[in-house]
Amino acid sequence: MKRVTTYGTFDLLHYGHINLLRRTKKYGDYLIVALSIDEFNNKKGKKSYFDYQKRKALLEAIRYVDLVIPENNWKQKINDMHKYYINTFAMGGDWKGKFDFLKSEGVDVVYLSRTPEISTSKIKKDLKLFKQ
Ligand code: C2G
Protein backbone atom coordinates (compact mmCIF):
# COMPACT_ATOMS: atom_id res chain seq x y z
CA MET A 1 0.00 0.00 0.00
CA LYS A 2 1.45 3.31 -1.14
CA ARG A 3 0.92 6.13 1.35
CA VAL A 4 0.82 9.77 0.34
CA THR A 5 0.48 12.92 2.40
CA THR A 6 -0.12 16.64 2.09
CA TYR A 7 -0.31 19.51 4.59
CA GLY A 8 -2.46 22.62 4.79
CA THR A 9 -5.14 24.80 6.37
CA PHE A 10 -7.94 23.95 3.92
CA ASP A 11 -10.17 26.76 5.17
CA LEU A 12 -13.39 27.56 3.28
CA LEU A 13 -12.84 24.34 1.35
CA HIS A 14 -13.02 25.02 -2.41
CA TYR A 15 -12.44 23.28 -5.73
CA GLY A 16 -8.74 24.27 -5.74
CA HIS A 17 -8.26 22.19 -2.61
CA ILE A 18 -10.28 19.33 -4.10
CA ASN A 19 -8.19 19.43 -7.31
CA LEU A 20 -5.06 19.17 -5.17
CA LEU A 21 -6.39 16.30 -3.06
CA ARG A 22 -7.63 14.37 -6.09
CA ARG A 23 -4.27 14.63 -7.87
CA THR A 24 -2.34 13.88 -4.66
CA LYS A 25 -4.33 10.67 -4.17
CA LYS A 26 -3.22 9.45 -7.61
CA TYR A 27 0.26 8.97 -6.13
CA GLY A 28 -0.90 6.23 -3.77
CA ASP A 29 -3.69 4.22 -2.19
CA TYR A 30 -3.93 5.95 1.18
CA LEU A 31 -3.97 9.73 1.62
CA ILE A 32 -3.16 11.32 4.95
CA VAL A 33 -3.88 15.05 5.24
CA ALA A 34 -2.01 16.93 7.98
CA LEU A 35 -4.39 19.75 8.86
CA SER A 36 -3.07 22.93 10.48
CA ILE A 37 -4.53 23.36 13.96
CA ASP A 38 -5.90 26.80 14.83
CA GLU A 39 -2.90 27.73 16.96
CA PHE A 40 -0.48 26.83 14.14
CA ASN A 41 -2.58 28.85 11.70
CA ASN A 42 -1.96 31.90 13.85
CA LYS A 43 1.78 31.19 13.52
CA LYS A 44 1.25 31.00 9.73
CA GLY A 45 -0.39 34.42 9.93
CA LYS A 46 -3.76 32.94 8.99
CA LYS A 47 -7.07 33.19 10.82
CA SER A 48 -9.32 30.45 9.53
CA TYR A 49 -13.07 30.98 9.25
CA PHE A 50 -13.81 27.38 10.31
CA ASP A 51 -12.06 25.97 13.37
CA TYR A 52 -9.97 22.80 13.28
CA GLN A 53 -12.81 20.38 14.08
CA LYS A 54 -15.04 21.79 11.31
CA ARG A 55 -12.19 21.83 8.77
CA LYS A 56 -11.33 18.25 9.78
CA ALA A 57 -14.94 17.07 9.35
CA LEU A 58 -15.09 18.62 5.88
CA LEU A 59 -11.86 16.92 4.79
CA GLU A 60 -12.98 13.56 6.19
CA ALA A 61 -16.05 13.75 3.95
CA ILE A 62 -13.90 13.84 0.82
CA ARG A 63 -13.60 10.51 -1.02
CA TYR A 64 -9.85 10.98 -1.63
CA VAL A 65 -8.98 11.49 2.04
CA ASP A 66 -8.31 8.44 4.23
CA LEU A 67 -7.00 10.05 7.42
CA VAL A 68 -6.72 13.57 8.83
CA ILE A 69 -4.01 14.26 11.42
CA PRO A 70 -3.14 17.54 13.16
CA GLU A 71 -0.36 19.76 11.83
CA ASN A 72 0.91 21.40 15.04
CA ASN A 73 4.11 23.05 13.81
CA TRP A 74 6.60 23.40 10.95
CA LYS A 75 8.95 20.79 12.40
CA GLN A 76 6.88 17.63 12.47
CA LYS A 77 7.16 16.60 8.82
CA ILE A 78 10.33 14.48 9.07
CA ASN A 79 8.92 12.56 12.02
CA ASP A 80 5.54 12.21 10.27
CA MET A 81 7.19 10.63 7.20
CA HIS A 82 8.48 7.79 9.39
CA LYS A 83 5.55 7.60 11.81
CA TYR A 84 3.07 7.14 8.93
CA TYR A 85 5.36 5.26 6.53
CA ILE A 86 4.89 7.89 3.82
CA ASN A 87 6.05 7.14 0.26
CA THR A 88 5.10 10.44 -1.37
CA PHE A 89 4.78 13.98 -0.03
CA ALA A 90 2.81 16.36 -2.26
CA MET A 91 2.15 20.10 -2.05
CA GLY A 92 0.83 22.82 -4.31
CA GLY A 93 3.33 24.56 -6.56
CA ASP A 94 3.47 27.67 -4.37
CA TRP A 95 5.65 25.54 -2.07
CA LYS A 96 8.00 24.35 -4.84
CA GLY A 97 11.39 23.40 -3.44
CA LYS A 98 10.49 24.22 0.16
CA PHE A 99 10.19 20.61 1.28
CA ASP A 100 12.88 18.92 -0.83
CA PHE A 101 14.72 18.08 2.41
CA LEU A 102 12.17 15.28 2.87
CA LYS A 103 13.81 13.41 -0.03
CA SER A 104 16.63 12.42 2.33
CA GLU A 105 14.01 10.58 4.39
CA GLY A 106 13.42 8.32 1.38
CA VAL A 107 10.20 10.14 0.43
CA ASP A 108 9.23 11.22 -3.11
CA VAL A 109 8.47 14.95 -3.04
CA VAL A 110 6.08 16.31 -5.68
CA TYR A 111 4.72 19.82 -6.27
CA LEU A 112 1.45 20.04 -8.13
CA SER A 113 0.24 23.11 -10.00
CA ARG A 114 -2.21 25.25 -8.09
CA THR A 115 -5.71 25.93 -9.42
CA PRO A 116 -4.98 29.50 -10.51
CA GLU A 117 -8.14 31.54 -10.13
CA ILE A 118 -9.37 30.50 -6.71
CA SER A 119 -8.10 30.97 -3.15
CA THR A 120 -9.56 31.31 0.32
CA SER A 121 -8.41 34.93 0.51
CA LYS A 122 -10.13 35.69 -2.83
CA ILE A 123 -13.37 34.19 -1.53
CA LYS A 124 -13.18 36.33 1.60
CA LYS A 125 -12.42 39.46 -0.46
CA ASP A 126 -15.21 38.80 -2.97
CA LEU A 127 -17.74 38.13 -0.22
CA LYS A 128 -16.93 41.52 1.32
CA LEU A 129 -18.25 43.02 -1.95
CA PHE A 130 -21.68 41.52 -1.37
CA LYS A 131 -23.56 43.99 0.83
CA GLN A 132 -25.48 42.00 3.48
N1 C2G B 1 -4.02 24.95 -3.31
C1 C2G B 1 -4.13 24.74 -4.69
N2 C2G B 1 -4.84 25.61 -5.44
C2 C2G B 1 -5.47 26.67 -4.86
C3 C2G B 1 -5.38 26.87 -3.48
C4 C2G B 1 -4.64 25.99 -2.70
O1 C2G B 1 -3.56 23.78 -5.24
N3 C2G B 1 -6.17 27.51 -5.66
C5 C2G B 1 -3.22 23.99 -2.54
C6 C2G B 1 -2.03 24.66 -1.85
O2 C2G B 1 -0.95 24.78 -2.76
C7 C2G B 1 -1.74 23.66 -0.73
C8 C2G B 1 -3.15 23.11 -0.39
O3 C2G B 1 -4.00 23.45 -1.50
O4 C2G B 1 -0.93 22.59 -1.22
C9 C2G B 1 -3.71 23.70 0.88
O5 C2G B 1 -3.68 25.11 0.75
P1 C2G B 1 -3.70 25.99 2.10
O6 C2G B 1 -4.82 25.54 2.95
O7 C2G B 1 -3.59 27.43 1.70
O8 C2G B 1 -2.36 25.50 2.80
P2 C2G B 1 -1.09 26.36 3.24
O9 C2G B 1 -1.52 27.52 4.03
O10 C2G B 1 -0.29 26.56 2.01
O11 C2G B 1 -0.40 25.37 4.28
O12 C2G B 1 3.17 22.95 6.23
C10 C2G B 1 2.54 23.34 5.03
C11 C2G B 1 1.43 24.33 5.29
O13 C2G B 1 0.54 23.84 6.28
C12 C2G B 1 0.68 24.58 3.97
Side-chain angles (χ1 to χ4, degrees), residues 6-11 14-21 23-24 34-36 40-41 44 46 55 71 73-74 77 89-95 99 112-120:
T6 191
Y7 290 61
T9 299
F10 294 98
D11 190 30
H14 54 68
Y15 61 91
H17 295 134
I18 304 299
N19 286 342
L20 190 281
L21 294 169
R23 287 178 297 150
T24 298
L35 181 63
S36 309
F40 180 48
N41 267 334
K44 288 180 2 180
K46 287 188 163 187
R55 288 181 287 119
E71 181 185 26
N73 56 60
W74 291 111
K77 291 184 177 69
F89 170 94
M91 286 300 289
D94 45 320
W95 291 95
F99 301 112
L112 306 173
S113 56
R114 279 174 68 96
T115 304
E117 78 286 354
I118 182 76
S119 70
T120 303

Side-chain angles (χ1 to χ4, degrees), residues 4-127:
V4 54
T5 189
T6 191
Y7 290 61
T9 299
F10 294 98
D11 190 30
L12 295 183
L13 199 63
H14 54 68
Y15 61 91
H17 295 134
I18 304 299
N19 286 342
L20 190 281
L21 294 169
R22 181 179 57 252
R23 287 178 297 150
T24 298
K25 184 60 176 284
K26 289 190 187 335
Y27 284 86
D29 318 283
Y30 192 86
L31 171 57
I32 299 175
V33 179
L35 181 63
S36 309
I37 61 171
D38 299 329
E39 297 76 8
F40 180 48
N41 267 334
N42 297 338
K43 293 208 181 79
K44 288 180 2 180
K46 287 188 163 187
K47 172 113 184 59
S48 60
Y49 181 78
F50 290 128
D51 67 18
Y52 177 78
Q53 288 307 328
K54 293 186 182 70
R55 288 181 287 119
K56 181 172 185 284
L58 283 162
L59 282 175
E60 286 169 340
I62 298 171
R63 69 173 65 187
Y64 310 115
V65 176
D66 297 288
L67 177 67
V68 179
I69 62 169
E71 181 185 26
N72 301 299
N73 56 60
W74 291 111
K75 299 207 172 333
Q76 69 183 71
K77 291 184 177 69
I78 289 180
N79 187 48
D80 286 352
M81 297 305 118
H82 299 288
K83 186 173 167 188
Y84 296 99
Y85 308 98
I86 299 297
N87 304 99
T88 302
F89 170 94
M91 286 300 289
D94 45 320
W95 291 95
K96 190 156 179 52
K98 297 282 189 310
F99 301 112
D100 289 354
F101 63 87
L102 293 172
K103 290 177 185 169
S104 21
E105 306 302 321
V107 173
D108 293 335
V109 176
V110 294
Y111 300 100
L112 306 173
S113 56
R114 279 174 68 96
T115 304
E117 78 286 354
I118 182 76
S119 70
T120 303
S121 31
K122 178 174 174 8
I123 294 170
K124 288 178 178 174
K125 196 156 71 351
D126 291 354
L127 285 177

